Amino acid sequence: MESLPREIAGDILSRLPVTSLVNVKFVCRSWRKLLQDSSLLVFMLFLRTTKKDPCLILHSVHPIKHYVADFPSDDSTSNQLYVAEFSSDGDRIEVVKKIRVPTLPEFYVTASCNGLLCLCHSLHSTKLFIYNPFKMDVLALPDSAQYPNQQVVVGFGFSSMENDYKVVKIVYYSHRGSIRPSGGNLPQSSVEILSLRSLTWRSLGEIPYQIFGKRPSQVLVNGRLNWATWPIYRCSSARLIVSFDLSEEKFYEVPRPDCGSLDKFNHNLVVLGGCLSASVYRKDGYFEIWVMKEYNVKESWINLYNIDIMDQSFENSGLHLKRSYARVICLLKNGEILLEMTITRALLSFDPKSKTFKHLAFHGFPRWYETIVHVGSLHWIDTHVVAT
């Protein structure tokens, strides 16, 4: 092993799952050095993993108090992370492992990008961390300004034009206590941005929208962070899709599909097959999934899927609850759609061809969790050269 050329060793190692690579450094000194120093290995591994099903980061969370009577809580803590990996054919989850998390305050995961997670302090939303769960690198970002009664929406992504990661923080605040839009009036806002190269917050002024910040809320497509907004008027249900261009550092409105479904609150934006998509849970038990085939082109929106979540076979599985609805997670390589039930916290796959559901249970799953789509990588957090 010591005598293998670095290029050959790198090619071999890049074929391993990222969870296995974490332990490869204990095999021999040359492989340890290769893992630590080789940008080639990092690049090759990232190319291979982007062609496979993503791994899933499961963030163990406490159950919502309202539902404690339905499902007893376990002993999990809010700072525990797990990784779940799919089999090569994508029809099942093969591996679930705990990730050793460094000592951090209680956090939630706001976003994943190129193998890096953006974590936000659960109680102090101005405290942010960038974390690679497989390299164990953690970067604490500097604090920014505090505002009264503030609510924070955080975005995180990579600007390929500048070869730099950026964190966007949108703060809504009010001196009167309420930050909900009413009577056409928006709360005061402040937008700040930070690049991992500079590690300095810059002000971008205000924003004429109030973003619906229910997590996970951001969707990164074509170098733009995308969110849905709150309706401005109490009597109006109209909602917009707003994007932030990470290179231009400007906000834009994204055309919506010609349907009223996106005005509902029980919907989420998601990336399916690299396209901006919107899924809506209807009262009749159906999911509408709209896909924007060509980004920022209104005419490219199509209603691609309609899923009957009230299907009798699904109801009989014991995973369905009247108060629960499914959140669309991602599209798997085999064409199936991955769903997460919001109360039972079960992971399901839906086959659009056979119209059937499959429960992706696996030993080692936490009892309560939020699912984050993640591409495992060995990218390190370097404030000078942040991407390969």
Side-chain angles (χ1 to χ4, degrees), residues 7 28 46 57 147 180-181 215 217 231 245 264 275 342 370:
E7 292 76 12
C28 61
F46 188 72
I57 297 294
Y147 296 89
R180 292 285 183 90
R215 68 179 192 266
S217 60
D245 190 301
K264 301 177 182 297
C275 299
T342 58
E370 291 178 342

Side-chain angles (χ1 to χ4, degrees), residues 156-181:
F156 173 62
F158 180 70
S159 170
S160 58
M161 291 185 64
E162 299 162 280
N163 192 36
D164 196 2
Y165 291 90
K166 294 184 178 181
V167 180
V168 182
K169 188 185 307 186
I170 306 167
V171 181
Y172 297 100
Y173 62 97
S174 172
H175 294 280
R176 297 179 179 179
S178 175
I179 55 174
R180 292 285 183 90

Side-chain angles (χ1 to χ4, degrees), residues 313-386:
S313 63
F314 177 51
E315 286 193 350
N316 293 338
S317 70
L319 297 173
H320 177 265
L321 285 178
K322 290 183 179 180
R323 289 177 294 175
S324 180
Y325 67 93
R327 179 170 70 92
V328 178
I329 302 297
C330 65
L331 184 67
L332 301 177
K333 297 298 182 182
N334 60 10
E336 296 182 0
I337 301 170
L338 187 66
L339 307 170
E340 177 193 85
M341 299 306 296
T342 58
I343 297 178
T344 56
R345 295 299 184 182
L347 280 179
L348 307 173
S349 64
F350 174 75
D351 187 339
K353 295 180 180 179
S354 63
K355 308 295 183 183
T356 57
F357 297 91
K358 182 164 49 181
H359 184 201
L360 301 179
F362 192 90
H363 177 71
F365 266 35
R367 184 68 177 90
W368 301 94
Y369 57 86
E370 291 178 342
T371 306
I372 299 96
V373 178
H374 188 70
V375 177
S377 82
L378 296 179
H379 280 157
W380 55 87
I381 300 171
D382 187 324
T383 55
H384 298 290
V385 181
V386 295

Side-chain angles (χ1 to χ4, degrees), residues 251-272:
F251 286 93
Y252 296 93
E253 290 185 16
V254 179
R256 300 179 353 146
D258 288 326
C259 71
S261 303
L262 293 188
D263 293 331
K264 301 177 182 297
F265 283 100
N266 51 349
H267 87 281
N268 67 292
L269 299 181
V270 65
V271 178
L272 295 181

